[in-house]
Structure formats: structure tokens, C-alpha cells
Amino acid sequence: MNLSFKDLRFIIEAIEHQINAYQERLQVIEDVDEDEAADLGNDIKFLELLHADMTTTLEQNTSVKTLSYGEVSSPAQNDKFSETSQKISFQELVELTQKLSLSERLFLVEAITSSVRQEVTISQ
């Protein structure tokens, strides 16, 4: 199964929510129903392992995509990037973006949003 960045984030958040719900339930029934408590304990451990695995997958996908986009760090690279972006019309940029997979586009949107937030925070 090929999950997008947004899919993985949503699933991870759902798992976190379910772990919290199971932990709350476990506190209520711990001394009352040992069988249910044992089942919940097992389910919590399973969800924690699943959460860790999905978080690792998300981090690996993020770092791979970051590397594939390349980091623009040096002034020479910034100038080259600026020159290229000025030569591309908005429509051409849209067409280039459409060639990316949906998960790559969502990742790009998140990266742009994050960079804008950082810049706004710094300027304030």
C-alpha cells in the first residue's frame, strides 16, 4: 500500500488517540476486569509498536523527499533558483507541479507553509 504524507499523519494521529482512549479505559477497569485489562494492555502495546513503525516510515519518507528536492543553501544556489523561477510562468509551474505525485505535492505544500511561518515568525 502506498500512503501519502497526509495519510500517514492522519493514521498516526488516530493511533495516538486510540492509545489514549485505551489507557483511560484501562485505568477505569484495571482492578475490576483482569481479562479486559490484559486485552487492552496487549492492544496498547501493539498500537505503540504500530505508531513507532509508522512514525519511522513518515520520517524516512520526509527525509528522502527532502533530499530528492535538494536543499537550497548556498547563495549561488539561491541565485540559480531565483533565475529559474523568474523564467517560468505561473501556468508552467502548475504544469510542472502536476507531474509530481499527490503525496509529493502535499509534502511540498507543507514545506512551503512551514517556511512561510518561520519567516513570518522571524520578521515579527
Side-chain angles (χ1 to χ4, degrees):
M1 182 183 309
N2 190 9
L3 298 173
S4 72
F5 178 82
K6 189 173 181 178
D7 294 339
L8 286 171
R9 279 299 318 143
F10 182 82
I11 292 169
I12 288 169
E13 288 176 16
I15 291 171
E16 290 168 354
H17 176 76
Q18 192 62 47
I19 289 171
N20 290 335
Y22 282 175
Q23 288 172 337
E24 288 173 10
R25 176 72 180 147
L26 185 59
Q27 288 176 355
V28 171
I29 61 138
E30 198 166 30
D31 297 326
V32 178
D33 188 347
E34 290 180 12
D35 289 338
E36 186 179 354
D39 288 341
L40 282 174
N42 290 336
D43 290 345
I44 289 169
K45 290 294 180 199
F46 171 77
L47 287 172
E48 288 172 341
L49 291 171
L50 184 60
H51 180 273
D53 187 42
M54 295 196 90
T55 301
T56 300
T57 301
L58 181 66
E59 289 169 356
Q60 288 173 346
N61 286 345
T62 302
S63 65
V64 167
K65 287 180 180 165
T66 300
L67 292 174
S68 69
Y69 291 131
E71 296 179 353
V72 180
S73 57
S74 73
Q77 286 175 322
N78 284 336
D79 290 342
K80 184 176 180 181
F81 180 75
S82 294
E83 289 173 17
T84 305
S85 64
Q86 289 172 358
K87 293 178 185 176
I88 297 175
S89 71
F90 180 77
Q91 185 57 37
E92 290 171 322
L93 187 58
V94 169
E95 290 170 6
L96 286 171
T97 305
Q98 287 174 331
K99 292 179 182 176
L100 298 171
S101 71
L102 184 57
S103 62
E104 289 171 326
R105 285 185 269 166
L106 288 170
F107 182 75
L108 187 58
V109 166
E110 188 153 330
I112 291 169
T113 303
S114 177
S115 70
V116 169
R117 283 187 185 135
Q118 287 174 3
E119 191 170 326
V120 167
T121 302
I122 290 170
S123 67
Q124 291 178 346

